[in-house]
Structure formats: structure tokens, C-alpha cells
Amino acid sequence: MATSNALVIAGAGLAGAKAAETLRAEGFDGPLVLLGDESERPYERPPLSKGYLMGTSERESVYVHPERWYEDHDVDLRLGTAVTALDAAAHELTLADGSRQGYAKLLLATGATPRPLAVPGAELDGVLLLRQLADSDRIKEALPAAQQIVVVGGGWIGLETAAAARAAGVAVTVVETAELPLLGVLGREVAQIFADLHTDHGVTFRYGAEVAEITGTLGHADGVRLADGTQIPADAVIVGIGVTPNSLLAEGAGLEVDNGVVVDAQLRSSHPDIHAAGDVANAFHPFLGRHLRVEHWANALHQPQAAARAMLGQDVAYDRLPYFFTDQYDLGMEYTGHVERGGYDRVVFRGDTARREFIAFWLSGGRVLAGMNVNVWDVVEPIRALVTSGRTVDAERLADPGVPLTELV
């Protein structure tokens, strides 16, 4: 068993890599172990449904660090190494090969796993999920040979892969259980804008629809049958219906788990020597005053840096507002803040929604909860300031592009 004074990170994605980088940058010079169950060194996920999938960015660009970085910084990176059990009392991990790894402090950065589609035919070739680099490679390989695909799920992954498929000239049908894509995330006012964007680019939507079966020929998917009996032909089926946090290690160790590993503002779990960050962490957010599990890139980038500093005994709290972005066709977007489903009473638009050059603000009681800038740039900081100020704003001035956002804070 390795020395017990090691700091160990379980999960070698973006969160794990940034934690390792921060530990070294903050002066930790002891044993540092980074365990990952994939064969690829740590990489970022957004390109997998954006630039890398569309062929506009190279494979090397997805990696968090150059290949030699881990050796140069004395990080013991072990790929293809799954962690199968955690003994919190013994400060010990069991690995898939039966060996054990001790630790002084542990960071769980185990991420999340795509939810499979639980219908007959889901195991057929040509039914594709998107989470890992290899998944993106499979979709990239499938698109040039496809004439038509079905995307199950109208969330961010579903819409981004739909945009990539349309850019490749493939006919796309999106099957969505709700009345609009992104309805639960954005609300009806803004969700309609994204629906119109995809419709304008030739995507067909089937709303209020459920998949009953994926049909196939000779072991390969050839279509989707909906619950109402409608058959939609497809050369491939891409499933994007959300993810489940990989919290089984924590649960098996007796840590508090509730929609992920429950941690405080310092990213500390119910065991003082175990922290969690990234997709798997359900963290208390000091500004929002509640626990929140965020699955977006910026959280995996920044949250583990705070966790690493907390592991070193620094007095830190992670209080950055949630942030995410998307690129679809000629639309680029950034979103800052957080709105509970149905937790707003008004949406204020600043700019031209018809041209898709605007900022949308979600308000409750006159306070800005979140803002989304669409093809309008360099406004994230004033939007963040509007949200964190907690002030009541004048809706007419908020909607007026002639009034600088900085004047409303």
C-alpha cells in the first residue's frame, strides 16, 4: 500500500487535473496521486459536443495539460485505474486490480455517467451516448455515413449534437418529452428561441413524445418507435437524457449522499478528510443559500481549485455563480446565475431577439437572478455584479441597451 501521507484524487477529468495543478501551485510537495478509469489523460468535455465533434478543433486541444505535465510536476497519474471501494475510517481506497491506496486526504472528482435509455433496442449498435472522448469519436465517425439521425433529449448535449449533425448535412429529428427543448432550464420565453433556432436550421422536433423502442436490422439501429406508434427512421440514435452523479464510492463509505456527495462551502464531505468537486459534488453555495450540484464546465474548472486549497488547510469557500456556455450554428451564448425551475416571475430582454443578439434577464421581485448573453459579448462581469448585488432594478432601464449595465448595479 502506498504511503498514507499522500493526497489522492479519484477521478482524472478536468476537475481532478485542476485540483492536482492547484495543489502543486499552492506549494504541496508531497506524494500526489491522480486516479482515472479512462485510458486518456485528463481532458475537457465541452469540445466533445462542440468544436472537436464538428472537426473545427484538433484532438490535442481537448487535453487539460500537455502529456509531460504530470511527470514534470511529480503527479502520479494512473490511467485505466478504477477505484472500487473507499474505506473512510482506514483512509484507504481499493482499486480494481485488488491493490490498495492509502491517503491523508482524498478528493472525489468522479464526475457523472450518462443515463441510458431504458427501452428495448437500447443496446443496438448505432445507439450512442456522449460523455467520453471515445463517444465523441464514435459520433464523428457515424455522421458522415448517416443520412438521418434521431436525437433523444432536447437538453444542451442533444441540441449541440443536433447542430453538429446539421452542419454535416444530416437530417435530424429531436425527440423531447417536454413542450420545448431546454424548457426546465430556461423557461418558455427563452426555450422558444432555441427551438426556433433549430427549426430554422432544418431540425424536426417531436414534442411531448416518449421513445418506446429502438428498432434495428442485423444488430444495428434503424429507427425509433414512439409511444404513439410513430416510426422515425434513423441511421444512428444519439441519447442525451441527462447524467447521474458517480457517488457510489461515497455512499458505500457511509458519507452523506443526496443527488451527489453532499459537501459544505469548503467542499468538505461528512468526513473531514474527504472533499468532493465537480459534477459529483452537491455543494452548499454561500450566496444562493442552498446546496447545488452543477454539471457545467466552469464548475469543474474552478470548484476543485477551492477544494484543493481547503485540503491544504486554507480558509476558502466556493461562491462563484454558476456559468455555462454553448455554441450552436451562428449562436454563441453565455449564462450566469441560477434560477430554480419556475422560480422567476419575469424575463426582461435587452436587444434584438429576432436577430438573436440580446441579453435575457430572469427576475424575481425585481431582483436579477440570472442573465444570458446571446451573440453579445464582454458582459459577463456586469451581469454577475447585477446578480450578486441583490438590488431591485428598474425593468425599463434594464431592457434599454442605451443604459450601461454598470449603472444598474
Side-chain angles (χ1 to χ4, degrees), residues 14-16 18-19 22 107 277-278 299-309 318:
L14 172 60
K18 295 308 289 187
T22 304
L107 176 66
N299 197 62
L301 176 70
H302 297 292
Q303 195 178 65
Q305 299 178 47
R309 294 185 176 100
Y318 186 75

Side-chain angles (χ1 to χ4, degrees), residues 116-270:
L117 194 61
V119 299
E123 75 290 345
L124 292 169
D125 289 340
V127 179
L128 306 169
L129 301 171
L130 179 53
R131 180 68 179 178
Q132 300 183 350
L133 187 53
D135 299 328
S136 188
D137 286 335
R138 281 189 282 271
I139 294 174
K140 283 180 71 172
E141 183 180 343
L143 289 183
Q147 293 186 336
Q148 49 197 353
I149 69 166
V150 170
V151 175
V152 182
W156 296 115
I157 293 295
L159 294 190
E160 288 174 358
T161 53
R166 290 300 297 133
V170 181
V172 178
T173 299
V174 174
V175 177
E176 167 58 46
T177 57
E179 300 171 48
L180 289 169
L182 302 170
L183 184 61
V185 180
L186 302 179
R188 183 173 303 278
E189 300 89 342
V190 182
Q192 186 65 59
I193 293 172
F194 280 87
D196 293 343
L197 168 72
H198 282 267
T199 300
D200 290 350
H201 284 85
V203 172
T204 299
F205 284 97
R206 292 300 304 264
Y207 295 124
E210 293 189 7
V211 175
E213 179 185 7
I214 298 175
T215 59
T217 303
L218 299 176
H220 193 282
D222 64 11
V224 170
R225 183 173 62 82
L226 302 182
D228 66 3
T230 302
Q231 182 75 23
I232 307 172
D235 300 305
V237 179
I238 299 173
V239 179
I241 55 173
V243 298
T244 301
N246 294 328
S247 53
L248 287 179
L249 276 178
E251 188 174 344
L255 303 184
E256 184 181 356
V257 172
D258 180 12
N259 183 31
V261 182
V262 177
V263 294
D264 60 18
Q266 289 74 43
L267 292 313
R268 186 185 300 107
S269 76
S270 54

Side-chain angles (χ1 to χ4, degrees), residues 309-354:
R309 294 185 176 100
M311 291 170 73
L312 296 177
Q314 298 180 24
D315 184 15
V316 298
Y318 186 75
D319 60 359
R320 292 179 68 97
L321 287 178
Y323 165 94
F324 60 89
F325 71 98
T326 191
D327 297 300
Q328 300 172 32
Y329 311 109
D330 56 353
L331 182 149
M333 175 278 282
E334 298 173 290
Y335 179 107
T336 304
H338 177 73
V339 182
E340 295 292 325
R341 185 187 293 259
Y344 67 95
D345 54 38
R346 184 174 185 179
V347 176
V348 173
F349 292 99
R350 166 186 287 233
D352 192 336
T353 56

